Amino acid sequence: MRKICLLFLAIAAFSYGQQVPDTLYNPTIKKRAYKEGKGAVVYIDQGHRNFHTKDNRFLPFARLLRQDGYIVKGFDTVFTDEKLKKVDILVISNALSADSRPPFTSPTKSAFSKAEIEVLKHWITNGGSLFLIADHMPFAGAAAELGKAFGFKFYDSFLFDNDRRGILDFTSDNEMLASNIITKGRNTDETVQKVVTFTGQAFETPAEARSILKLNEKYTVHLPDTMWVFNDKIEQFKASNLSQGAILEFGKGRVAVFGEAAMFTGQLAGQQRRKVGMNADYASQNYKLLLNIIHWLDRLY
């Protein structure tokens, strides 16, 4: 049991505590959605103690969208009807409650008030587009009430394969990557054939949602009481029929929900500065998935 704990503590140091953005990551977009600065404004939430913000760990995310012609801004306050009037696309990634501090233990407190959740639900019903990213514990728990408002059930968990690896491959060959408008894109240059994620959580989807990243019995959901502390007694179950990424049309609006954040950015992790995210050679198509999701939220298809 001690070996298991040490293994996951090592992973934690690698994946959580020493992440910096890869400022050299700059993939080529063959056909931009817009001319420079002519696209929609994408707001990235950074008013809820977010682990990923536009000028830090989501810098590669923001730079990629700008390269595609979008304008990217930070959303630095609570969600109100008045504040959301100016927003077409909102990104929320790995939010935490205002008083949340490590060590993170269950149950995790919601990052959003009930009033904010109702505001977001109303905004999306009337045409807003939300990109909600909620990673492994405690981020899944912090966003669980928000996800529930749209019919998603988040598990405040960690997702691993049977060898306790946290790197997951989704391809059409292994039938874990769905074939639909998100993975096909607008043309063959935008088609996605492989997506790689880095641990994260698994969640249940409502019947109306379309799962993009489909999980099966080869993966296990682990539910520790404390973040990155594992032993043989913690609750765990197979991830059969769960998802790590899905889209949903909700009223007049659209929602994209994903259970892992590193896949949408480029990070350098640990003392060795290993590439983790869409900057890694083995995750070279992840950036296409990110752009296709934004295009869908932007109603380009």
Side-chain angles (χ1 to χ4, degrees):
M1 183 169 68
R2 177 175 172 79
K3 289 182 179 180
I4 295 174
C5 292
L6 290 175
L7 167 64
F8 284 102
L9 287 172
I11 294 173
F14 170 79
S15 65
Y16 183 79
Q18 303 180 45
Q19 297 176 7
V20 297
D22 184 351
T23 58
L24 299 180
Y25 177 67
N26 189 31
T28 299
I29 301 175
K30 292 186 177 181
K31 184 179 180 180
R32 296 185 181 186
Y34 299 97
K35 293 182 179 179
E36 183 176 355
K38 299 299 182 180
V41 180
V42 178
Y43 285 87
I44 298 178
D45 178 37
Q46 44 195 42
H48 295 84
R49 294 196 62 236
N50 305 76
F51 189 70
H52 294 91
T53 56
K54 72 178 181 67
D55 295 323
N56 193 351
R57 296 182 183 92
F58 253 23
L59 177 62
F61 179 110
R63 288 179 60 182
L64 180 67
L65 267 58
R66 290 192 183 104
Q67 186 181 344
D68 203 32
Y70 288 93
I71 301 166
V72 182
K73 296 183 178 182
F75 195 99
D76 299 305
T77 185
V78 298
F79 301 125
T80 65
D81 289 327
E82 186 64 28
K83 294 290 185 181
L84 288 174
K85 282 183 179 179
K86 63 181 180 180
V87 178
D88 293 317
I89 300 174
L90 174 66
V91 179
I92 301 174
S93 179
N94 284 355
L96 288 171
S97 65
D99 57 356
S100 181
R101 297 290 186 275
F104 298 108
T105 59
S106 63
T108 302
K109 187 176 180 180
S110 176
F112 313 99
S113 68
K114 292 182 179 179
E116 284 185 294
I117 292 173
E118 285 303 311
V119 164
L120 286 167
K121 190 174 180 179
H122 179 264
W123 172 70
I124 294 166
T125 299
N126 287 280
S129 290
L130 174 65
F131 189 179
L132 175 60
I133 306 168
D135 216 313
H136 58 64
M137 178 191 189
F139 306 112
E145 289 300 313
L146 179 55
K148 183 179 178 181
F150 305 103
F152 294 89
K153 181 178 179 179
F154 292 172
Y155 289 97
D156 203 16
S157 62
F158 291 79
L159 180 67
F160 298 105
D161 67 13
N162 290 335
D163 294 323
R164 297 185 185 250
R165 292 175 63 255
I167 298 178
L168 286 66
D169 294 333
F170 296 83
T171 68
S172 55
D173 288 342
N174 65 20
E175 299 182 344
M176 293 173 60
L177 184 65
S179 176
N180 56 32
I181 192 62
I182 296 295
T183 52
K184 290 179 180 178
R186 298 171 298 171
N187 53 61
T188 55
D189 288 333
E190 295 180 352
T191 299
V192 181
Q193 297 176 322
K194 179 183 178 182
V195 172
V196 179
T197 69
F198 304 83
T199 310
Q201 63 134 332
F203 55 82
E204 296 180 18
T205 65
E208 300 83 6
R210 287 176 282 172
S211 182
I212 309 298
L213 305 181
K214 301 183 290 184
L215 296 166
N216 56 40
E217 72 283 352
K218 295 181 180 179
Y219 299 88
T220 303
V221 177
H222 298 254
L223 292 158
D225 293 328
T226 303
M227 180 182 178
W228 290 118
V229 177
F230 293 80
N231 57 53
D232 294 328
K233 296 181 180 180
I234 67 168
E235 181 183 355
Q236 54 185 275
F237 57 89
K238 295 299 181 182
S240 304
N241 301 317
L242 299 182
S243 178
Q244 202 171 37
I247 58 173
L248 172 69
E249 296 194 33
F250 191 87
K252 297 179 181 178
R254 294 183 172 186
V255 182
V257 176
F258 281 77
E260 204 278 308
M263 63 181 292
F264 295 122
T265 189
Q267 299 177 146
L268 302 175
Q271 294 181 349
Q272 302 300 319
R273 290 294 187 260
R274 297 181 178 88
K275 293 183 178 181
V276 177
M278 57 187 183
N279 57 334
D281 291 341
Y282 52 86
S284 61
Q285 295 185 41
N286 278 28
Y287 82 94
K288 294 184 180 182
L289 180 69
L290 170 55
L291 292 177
N292 289 354
I293 292 168
I294 296 296
H295 295 165
W296 180 77
L297 292 170
D298 193 23
R299 292 173 170 77
L300 297 187
Y301 43 72

